[in-house]
Amino acid sequence: MTDGFEFTRDGEVARLTFARPEKMNAITYGMWSAIPDVVAEVEADPALKVLVLTGAGKHFSAGADISEFRDLRSTADGAATYDKAVDGAVAALTSMRKPSVAMIQGNCIGGGCQLSVACDFRFASEDARFGITPAKLGIVFHFDSTRLLVALVGPANARYLLLSGELIDAVRAREIGLVNDLHAAEGLTAATAAFVDTLCSRSQASIRGMNRIIEKIVAGRQTPDDEVDAIRLAALHGEDYAEGVDAFLNRRPPKFTHR
């Protein structure tokens, strides 16, 4: 595993922890570059159903490690190479069929907020702070990440965050839809785990199929295509559909076996 990360498994749940607490979990080029491999490992492991991203210590992540910029982003070619790694990390998370959950405490800023937006869900502690700060660095934010942000919070709030570079508190983040829910710091882990357990109990065929369809809609798809039709048809003929209907009719909890 790349320096700066801790990757662990707990039953059906994988956890990727930004582990540079002395740097407020700033994300290095090596960490950006490693995220697609982590995602691929989670996707390929049939025992895993959910990926949780979080930070060690008091913060989720303060963003990209700016101390690397003079060496890695000092030329156009260097910036392009660095941006390719960032884009690859975001694309890997957004294209996951298995759900991803960001569990956020403290600072969630810049590239840290960018990665949280790329996740399917965001649960935050009441002391969390959010911001995306390219305007403070003379950088124009990545297109795909901008699209994801606009889809999540709307163009007006996306403009506020990107053009001002100002930080917002957790309550405001919840109001604009940047996070799904807030919890007291001491209850965040338990609340996130309870939601993750819910995801694990649902039909994985449904979850992964619907996650792919939502990805297509966010990317601008207006009508079903052959892949959407195939996903829905496969579910209709799948074991989970038969089990779900039988469980409903017999008033019992479903026991899905699909992985």
Side-chain angles (χ1 to χ4, degrees):
M1 179 56 59
T2 299
D3 288 344
F5 280 145
E6 292 177 359
F7 181 72
T8 58
R9 293 176 175 83
D10 182 9
E12 298 172 322
V13 181
R15 182 183 295 261
L16 182 64
T17 303
F18 305 121
R20 302 181 72 207
E22 74 285 356
K23 298 287 187 179
M24 290 194 292
N25 298 323
I27 305 165
T28 65
Y29 174 77
M31 292 164 70
W32 288 114
S33 301
I35 287 174
D37 289 338
V38 173
V39 169
E41 183 174 343
V42 174
E43 290 276 73
D45 189 337
L48 296 173
K49 293 182 178 179
V50 180
L51 172 64
V52 176
L53 270 66
T54 192
K58 297 180 179 180
H59 301 285
F60 183 77
S61 173
D65 189 341
I66 307 299
S67 68
E68 295 185 323
F69 279 20
R70 278 202 171 92
D71 292 330
L72 299 181
R73 291 183 59 98
S74 60
T75 66
D77 287 345
T81 298
Y82 189 98
D83 286 350
K84 185 177 180 180
V86 174
D87 288 342
V90 170
L93 286 169
T94 57
S95 64
M96 280 189 75
R97 296 288 187 91
K98 297 179 181 180
S100 55
V101 180
M103 186 174 71
I104 301 162
Q105 69 286 343
N107 287 340
C108 181
I109 299 171
C113 193
Q114 185 175 7
L115 287 178
S116 76
V117 169
C119 291
D120 296 318
F121 304 96
R122 286 150 297 281
F123 292 86
S125 63
E126 294 169 345
D127 65 349
R129 300 194 306 163
F130 299 83
I132 306 177
T133 54
K136 293 182 178 180
L137 297 168
I139 294 171
V140 175
F141 202 47
H142 301 242
F143 179 86
D144 285 340
S145 292
T146 302
R147 174 177 56 79
L148 293 171
L149 182 66
V150 170
L152 190 62
V153 303
N157 289 315
R159 283 191 175 97
Y160 179 87
L161 290 166
L162 291 173
L163 275 59
S164 74
E166 294 288 347
L167 304 186
I168 61 174
D169 63 21
V171 172
R172 182 60 180 152
R174 176 66 179 86
E175 289 174 350
I176 66 174
L178 188 59
V179 299
N180 295 91
D181 212 350
L182 297 181
H183 300 278
E186 61 272 17
L188 177 63
T189 298
T192 304
F195 181 75
V196 167
D197 286 345
T198 296
L199 292 175
C200 290
S201 73
R202 302 306 190 214
S203 163
Q204 299 305 300
S206 293
I207 282 178
R208 295 168 197 175
M210 291 186 292
N211 224 9
R212 175 59 176 151
I213 292 172
I214 291 169
E215 180 192 358
K216 284 176 170 284
I217 292 170
V218 171
R221 185 81 197 174
Q222 298 290 323
T223 57
D225 59 11
D226 290 344
E227 184 184 7
V228 170
D229 291 340
I231 288 170
R232 299 192 71 239
L233 184 62
L236 185 63
H237 292 285
E239 294 179 2
D240 281 5
Y241 176 69
E243 167 62 14
V245 171
D246 185 74
F248 180 84
L249 293 175
N250 288 286
R251 299 183 179 183
R252 62 174 177 82
K255 296 180 180 179
F256 297 117
T257 59
H258 179 84
R259 292 187 179 275

